[in-house]
Amino acid sequence: MPQEYPKCFITVGTTKFDLLCEYIMTGPVLTAMKNIGCKQITFQIGNSNVEPGIYEKNDIEINMYRFKDCIQEDIRNADLVISHAGAGSCLETLEANKPLLVVVNEDLMDNHQLELAEKLQTDSHLYYCTCDTLVSTLSMVDFSLLSPFPKADPTMFLKYLDSVFKVKNID
């Protein structure tokens, strides 16, 4: 039986990503979410034009809010995270070892977010899609195949500093 994701957290960060906010509320996306076992969505909508509030659609409870000081608790409580491709949101989710689907905002100029999403997908840490492919991506991907993001190793930085600042012994 496929993995189920009863609690999903969706974030657009501090940006305005109206298209994703609107797509999430559509019947096809909610049906795709329900098909992966989603019963509850916590949705950080940022500056988008969608109204915050608590909704129920397609038997899924949706709690939409604009901002919190910290979204780490929402990430920790989620079984699946769907995020814009902001580096902070991606790294926080990957460091929490949560399955991640990134939705790239195609309206951004000079889209470095797409480059980040492509690299992290190539390394098997996440999947990415666009709003147009969100439904098909949710129905096709197997999040259990993702590889954990490597933990930071501060000793590497210290070794680098040692090599840069190593003072030769003077006899």
Side-chain angles (χ1 to χ4, degrees):
M1 182 167 165
Q3 177 84 30
E4 292 203 350
Y5 304 95
K7 292 182 181 179
C8 296
F9 175 58
I10 303 171
T11 178
V12 300
T14 58
T15 63
K16 184 175 185 175
F17 196 173
D18 287 332
L19 188 58
L20 179 60
C21 292
E22 292 164 8
Y23 262 59
I24 293 297
M25 299 299 284
T26 65
V29 172
L30 290 172
T31 298
M33 297 291 291
K34 194 172 177 178
N35 288 343
I36 62 168
C38 182
K39 295 176 180 8
Q40 180 182 18
I41 296 173
T42 301
F43 195 171
Q44 184 270 318
I45 58 173
N47 286 315
S48 297
N49 290 329
V50 176
E51 282 300 311
I54 297 174
Y55 304 91
E56 184 162 328
K57 283 185 90 169
N58 289 34
D59 297 321
I60 298 175
E61 179 186 307
I62 306 163
N63 179 2
M64 302 173 114
Y65 67 89
R66 293 209 184 276
F67 299 104
K68 284 183 182 176
D69 289 338
C70 180
I71 62 171
Q72 286 181 339
E73 184 178 334
D74 289 327
I75 292 170
R76 271 194 311 272
N77 290 333
D79 300 303
L80 171 68
V81 176
I82 298 174
S83 175
H84 72 125
S89 298
C90 290
L91 292 175
E92 276 188 75
T93 302
L94 293 173
E95 287 172 356
N97 202 27
K98 296 292 180 169
L100 176 59
L101 175 60
V102 165
V103 182
V104 175
N105 186 346
E106 296 179 292
D107 293 336
L108 294 178
M109 302 273 296
D110 187 28
N111 203 342
H112 64 279
Q113 291 189 357
L114 175 60
E115 293 172 21
L116 175 65
E118 285 176 338
K119 174 63 176 153
L120 290 171
Q121 179 171 291
T122 299
D123 292 345
S124 299
H125 299 305
L126 58 75
Y127 294 108
Y128 81 90
C129 64
T130 62
C131 286
D132 289 337
T133 60
L134 179 58
V135 171
S136 61
T137 302
L138 282 169
S139 65
M140 290 185 326
V141 299
D142 182 349
F143 292 102
S144 70
L145 299 177
L146 293 175
S147 300
F149 193 69
K151 300 284 182 211
D153 182 0
T155 62
M156 291 177 67
F157 181 67
L158 293 174
K159 287 177 186 173
Y160 172 75
L161 286 179
D162 283 346
S163 71
V164 170
F165 295 109
K166 191 167 190 166
V167 178
K168 293 183 179 181
N169 288 335
I170 302 174
D171 293 321

